[in-house]
Amino acid sequence: MWSALQGRLLFARNPGTSKVFCRSCCRAAKRDTIFALSSGQGKCGVAVIRTSGPASSMALVRLTRGEVPLPRVATLRPICDPRSAETLDRGLVLWFPGPGSFTGEDSAEFHVHGGPAVVSGVLKALGCLPLLRLAEPGEFTKRAFQNGKLDLTEAEGLGDLIHAETESQRRQALRQMEGDLGRLYRRWSDTLTKALAHLEAYIDFSEDDNIEEGVLAQVEEAVEALEKELREHLQDGRRGERLRDGVHVVIAGPTNAGKSSLLNHLCQKPAAIVSPIAGTTRDVVEAALNIGGFPVVLSDTAGLRDTSDVVEMEGVNRARQRVEVADLVLAVLDAAEVAQKPNQLVPALLDILPPDDPKGTRPYLLVLNKMDLLGDKERADLLANFADSDLAPACFLSCKTGEGIATFLSVLGKQLAHMCGDPLAGSPSPTQARHQLSLAKCLEALGRFGHYRAVDLALAAEELRQARRLLGHLTGQVGSEEILELIFKDFCIGK
């Protein structure tokens, strides 16, 4: 009975849903042998050219004019053009018989000198061999997935690791590539499989008194616990996505407050034009930065003010749109103006922050620039006013002299650390929008299960199947070709 139920659970699905992705079918199919440069474009000391597929051993023999070397042993060989027998280079070759390779297929690597002529010659030599073709972007990793060497979340982690530019991105990508996220989702899927099996057994055999008491209560308890865990997983403040794509930080404030000067300080180069003329910045100026090990997409925006200039008006509109979608707002004000009119501080701040955020829940840092223009008494009065206010702590600095910049960077780094968290601590976070979407839909299905369990157990069971399918989409146990193509197209050729 149990094995029959398992078989039904593994393959049951509704008409119209995504096709079941069958890895075993992919392994059984006759495949081309692919090749590509794996070490990246440009001149370098050593370039790595990789093959994968049943003709890899033939390619090794034809290009080296010798026997296939011992598995996973680097061997120095002349590398020749199989058509003319001309020596193209002398380099190391490695042989990885399947399934003990990255892709799970027979694979070979040619480690040659990284000059463009050498690399081009070896690629042309491989291209002239029968049964070999140039790999498509991400095809090596796609084959590794199809051959069961890694699941879909691990493949995404590998892609993120290749593109990682900061320490936090590297840590998160490596953790995902090593399978932490996939194991979490598979554990949830196993929980649903067990709950569904018990529910199916209860539906089919409860009238025969062959089912022990309390089975239905165990199912409900397991689903409720999973529902709670899923909800907590989704309420992580988009930490994983922020680490992967970068925290969107927007510099906003009135004209001539020093926004572009602050951008240039953070970029350590003249990324934006600085001028005493109000309204110099008309469009959004973006820069990708690494601040304290966290990825940041920093945007400098037009000064916020009422204007009749059509072009500047468009710049102001774009500035307000950026503030609306920002993860963090750097609200920059002129310290000299604030010192002269302290009662205008709150209205000026409210003019910068989104109007639909009256409680100030959107994270922001108040930056008071041009501190070099204040005398000792003005400074003391300004600091005293802030000490007695309910406003968030402000950063006092001067972009002209550099005063306070180091303190500001420290405060900004702590804010970024709070928003992104430690990628190695606690449960792994969802890192892509598709994770969030599938998990949200899974949570909805579990909610519908709670509704149907008192009405119709067959409908309740179908909601558990739907939730399980959605978890399968995340790891690639169940998926559509469209999803796979979308994920693997972001890889480079040779990966």
Side-chain angles (χ1 to χ4, degrees):
M1 181 188 77
W2 173 247
S3 59
L5 280 171
Q6 281 186 313
R8 181 162 57 171
L9 292 173
L10 287 172
F11 298 104
R13 66 181 180 90
N14 282 341
T17 59
S18 299
K19 294 181 290 185
V20 173
F21 190 85
C22 183
R23 285 175 166 166
S24 60
C25 295
C26 294
R27 289 195 294 268
K30 186 69 175 177
R31 317 196 88 178
D32 295 334
T33 297
I34 57 174
F35 68 91
L37 174 67
S38 293
S39 54
Q41 301 293 331
K43 295 179 182 179
C44 56
V46 177
V48 179
I49 296 169
R50 175 192 289 174
T51 73
S52 180
S56 290
S57 59
M58 179 271 290
L60 257 179
V61 171
R62 293 288 301 276
L63 264 68
T64 62
R65 296 184 172 274
E67 296 180 353
V68 174
L70 293 174
R72 290 170 289 281
V73 175
T75 307
L76 182 64
R77 293 275 180 88
I79 298 171
C80 306
D81 188 321
R83 297 164 297 184
S84 64
E86 177 189 0
T87 299
L88 302 172
D89 194 15
R90 286 179 64 82
L92 297 176
V93 295
L94 291 100
W95 166 241
F96 302 94
S101 68
F102 170 70
T103 61
E105 304 172 333
D106 287 349
S107 298
E109 288 184 2
F110 300 84
H111 294 219
V112 299
H113 294 96
V118 174
V119 172
S120 175
V122 176
L123 291 175
K124 286 179 180 177
L126 288 169
C128 77
L129 296 176
L131 305 178
L132 269 74
R133 65 170 175 81
L134 190 65
E136 298 174 357
E139 191 168 2
F140 284 92
T141 306
K142 186 175 182 180
R143 289 191 176 196
F145 161 72
Q146 291 170 337
N147 290 323
K149 303 295 286 188
L150 71 174
D151 71 18
L152 210 49
T153 60
E154 291 166 354
E156 289 171 326
L158 174 58
D160 290 346
L161 187 62
I162 292 170
H163 294 101
E165 296 181 349
T166 70
E167 279 297 297
S168 58
Q169 286 178 319
R170 178 189 61 78
R171 291 189 184 108
Q172 176 172 270
L174 188 60
R175 185 181 186 185
Q176 184 170 332
M177 189 189 75
E178 290 178 341
D180 279 18
L181 195 61
R183 282 190 289 272
L184 177 65
Y185 293 158
R186 284 194 295 275
R187 177 171 66 80
W188 290 346
S189 183
D190 291 343
T191 297
L192 283 177
T193 299
K194 184 176 180 180
L196 186 53
H198 288 167
L199 183 58
E200 291 276 9
Y202 183 86
I203 293 172
D204 290 346
F205 304 105
S206 61
E207 294 182 0
D208 301 332
D209 295 328
N210 292 325
I211 299 297
E212 60 188 59
E213 294 183 7
V215 167
L216 195 55
Q218 291 175 15
V219 170
E220 292 173 354
E221 183 179 336
V223 171
E224 287 175 3
L226 178 57
E227 192 173 0
K228 179 183 177 182
E229 199 171 351
L230 263 170
R231 188 171 286 107
E232 291 174 352
H233 186 66
L234 284 170
Q235 292 174 345
D236 75 331
R238 293 180 51 248
R239 290 186 173 186
E241 282 188 73
R242 282 174 174 159
L243 269 181
R244 179 179 183 269
D245 301 328
V247 181
H248 289 265
V249 178
V250 175
I251 304 174
T255 57
N256 269 13
K259 300 182 299 299
S260 297
S261 297
L262 181 59
L263 174 77
N264 292 343
H265 256 288
L266 294 175
C267 295
Q268 297 183 342
K269 64 179 183 181
I273 297 173
V274 176
S275 166
I277 301 172
T280 301
T281 303
R282 299 294 183 93
D283 208 344
V284 177
V285 179
E286 271 194 358
L289 302 176
N290 177 350
I291 298 179
F294 297 98
V296 170
V297 180
L298 186 64
S299 301
D300 179 29
T301 59
L304 303 176
R305 66 172 179 177
D306 295 328
T307 178
S308 58
D309 186 301
V310 176
V311 178
E312 187 179 0
M313 193 182 303
E314 176 61 25
V316 172
N317 290 335
R318 294 186 182 190
R320 295 200 182 279
Q321 289 170 4
R322 285 302 178 101
V323 170
E324 289 279 353
V325 298
D327 294 318
L328 175 66
V329 178
L330 301 182
V332 182
L333 295 174
D334 186 328
E337 292 184 5
V338 172
Q340 292 174 3
K341 301 177 182 178
N343 60 325
Q344 294 299 309
L345 173 60
V346 173
L349 184 58
L350 291 177
D351 185 54
I352 297 171
L353 299 177
D356 60 347
D357 189 30
K359 295 183 180 180
T361 55
R362 184 182 304 275
Y364 74 91
L365 285 179
L366 178 58
V367 180
L368 293 183
N369 187 27
K370 303 185 181 182
M371 288 294 289
D372 57 291
L373 299 180
L374 299 182
D376 293 339
K377 185 178 185 307
E378 291 174 311
R379 283 174 175 245
D381 291 343
L382 185 62
L383 293 171
N385 287 336
F386 269 91
D388 296 335
S389 72
D390 295 330
L391 294 172
C395 295
F396 303 92
L397 55 86
S398 169
C399 290
K400 183 176 181 179
T401 66
E403 173 195 355
I405 293 292
T407 302
F408 164 69
L409 286 173
S410 176
V411 173
L412 178 57
K414 290 178 182 177
Q415 180 68 37
L416 294 173
H418 174 72
M419 295 174 70
C420 296
D422 183 352
L424 300 182
S427 178
S429 297
T431 59
Q432 307 218 17
R434 80 173 191 94
H435 299 169
Q436 297 272 358
L437 182 61
S438 290
L439 291 170
K441 288 183 177 180
C442 180
L443 196 57
E444 291 173 3
L446 294 181
R448 291 192 296 270
F449 164 82
H451 169 73
Y452 286 131
R453 68 186 179 187
V455 180
D456 190 324
L457 288 180
L459 291 176
E462 183 53 40
E463 295 301 336
L464 290 188
R465 287 192 200 96
Q466 176 65 9
R468 187 174 172 277
R469 277 194 293 270
L470 289 163
L471 288 177
H473 280 301
L474 292 174
T475 58
Q477 292 172 308
V478 178
S480 66
E481 282 294 336
E482 292 78 10
I483 293 174
L484 299 179
E485 291 299 329
L486 196 63
I487 290 171
F488 290 108
K489 77 177 180 63
D490 289 334
F491 282 80
C492 303
I493 295 176
K495 301 293 187 290

